[in-house]
Amino acid sequence: MIKSIICIGCPMGCALAVTLESGEVTAIEGALCPRGEAHAKKECLNPTRILTSSVPVRGGGMLSVKTAGDIPKDKIFACMAALKNIAVDAPVKIGDVIVRDAAGTGVDIVATRSI
């Protein structure tokens, strides 16, 4: 099976053709730098994302938040559900943990700004 993806490892945006056989990457074509090969393997074998969102601040306003690291792509909706009923009280400092171990990923959701 050949999977076509666009590399986001650098500004080049290489069009990659990744050959998968028995759940393994056997060939990568189109990568103009080593980051392309690393991105292709990660995206095809273990896709992850940084999740960004916002939560309400009691008394008014919104606080932007994000995962402190990559989470498995299939856990995005579970992490969003973990944020559904969260509201914070000011003051909040950038980096404060809003949700610990979001959806069992081992990754915290943190504030991205101070309010």
Side-chain angles (χ1 to χ4, degrees):
M1 173 175 112
I2 297 178
K3 185 172 183 176
S4 297
I5 62 173
I6 301 296
C7 180
I8 60 170
C10 77
M12 296 287 291
C14 297
L16 307 176
V18 184
T19 304
L20 297 162
E21 295 177 11
S22 303
E24 296 292 322
V25 174
T26 58
I28 301 168
E29 294 179 20
L32 297 179
C33 72
R35 288 184 274 180
E37 290 189 15
H39 174 73
K41 289 177 184 175
K42 182 179 175 188
E43 186 63 20
C44 290
L45 302 177
N46 184 28
T48 59
R49 300 290 186 268
I50 297 286
L51 174 69
T52 60
S53 189
S54 58
V55 296
V57 177
R58 289 186 191 94
M62 297 294 285
L63 172 69
S64 57
V65 297
K66 72 175 191 110
T67 52
D70 290 358
I71 59 169
K73 189 176 174 182
D74 63 357
K75 294 283 189 170
I76 289 174
F77 290 108
C79 287
M80 288 300 293
L83 288 172
K84 184 177 181 180
N85 297 313
I86 299 291
V88 297
D89 293 311
V92 176
K93 293 180 185 168
I94 190 169
D96 282 356
V97 174
I98 306 303
V99 176
R100 290 207 183 277
D101 186 21
T105 61
V107 178
D108 297 335
I109 297 175
V110 298
T112 62
R113 66 183 184 108
S114 298
I115 57 166

